[in-house]
Amino acid sequence: VCKNQGAFECFLRHTNECRPLVSRAAGYGFPSSLVALRSMCGRGKELAEEASPEAATTAEADACSSGVLGSLRGEHSACIDGCSSSCAVANAAIDAYHAEGQPAALELACRDREKFECFLEGEACKPLFATAATHGIHFPTTVAELEAECAVSKVLLP
């Protein structure tokens, strides 16, 4: 599973389309959520170590053009393009929010907070967070808020 983590993430991101397959696979011990997959695979460190820098850069660029961020990129390009190395983390947190709620999303944001913080620094991403809030998605909107939320949830890493 972990050697093909990216493929499994695709199934887990498309919850509506892949729910029957994911449910059936869970009966055989496969992870049934992005959080479970990342927990099982140690956040994908094995894949990151095997991947070339060029592959990592391409994967990050693809993350900015796909998922929820991809659909919002036209309206929020300054934010998303400015945080291109953080798009995978943000998409995963958004997917976790939809699949498992705020605690799962916050866990991912806290574990990769250095990357997630890009979206919280400066003014470029404020409109993105405002758009998310109108859809019922509430994330911390400043670095200080993220650190406070992470400390409360005991996920803050050194």
Side-chain angles (χ1 to χ4, degrees), residues 39-129:
S39 176
M40 173 189 284
C41 296
R43 305 277 314 128
K45 289 179 183 168
E46 302 87 9
L47 291 177
E49 290 168 1
E50 293 173 14
S52 67
E54 296 83 16
T57 301
T58 301
E60 288 295 344
D62 289 346
C64 293
S65 301
S66 63
V68 174
L69 286 183
S71 68
L72 296 171
R73 191 172 186 193
E75 186 179 345
H76 301 285
S77 61
C79 168
I80 294 168
D81 292 344
C83 294
S84 61
S85 65
S86 304
C87 289
V89 170
N91 265 333
I94 293 166
D95 291 342
Y97 190 99
H98 287 298
E100 300 176 50
Q102 175 75 13
L106 189 58
E107 178 182 341
L108 291 177
C110 291
R111 286 199 178 163
D112 282 325
R113 81 176 186 282
E114 291 82 13
K115 285 190 175 188
F116 195 80
E117 285 176 359
C118 178
F119 293 98
L120 306 176
E121 297 168 341
E123 298 295 316
C125 295
K126 299 260 185 242
L128 176 65
F129 284 96

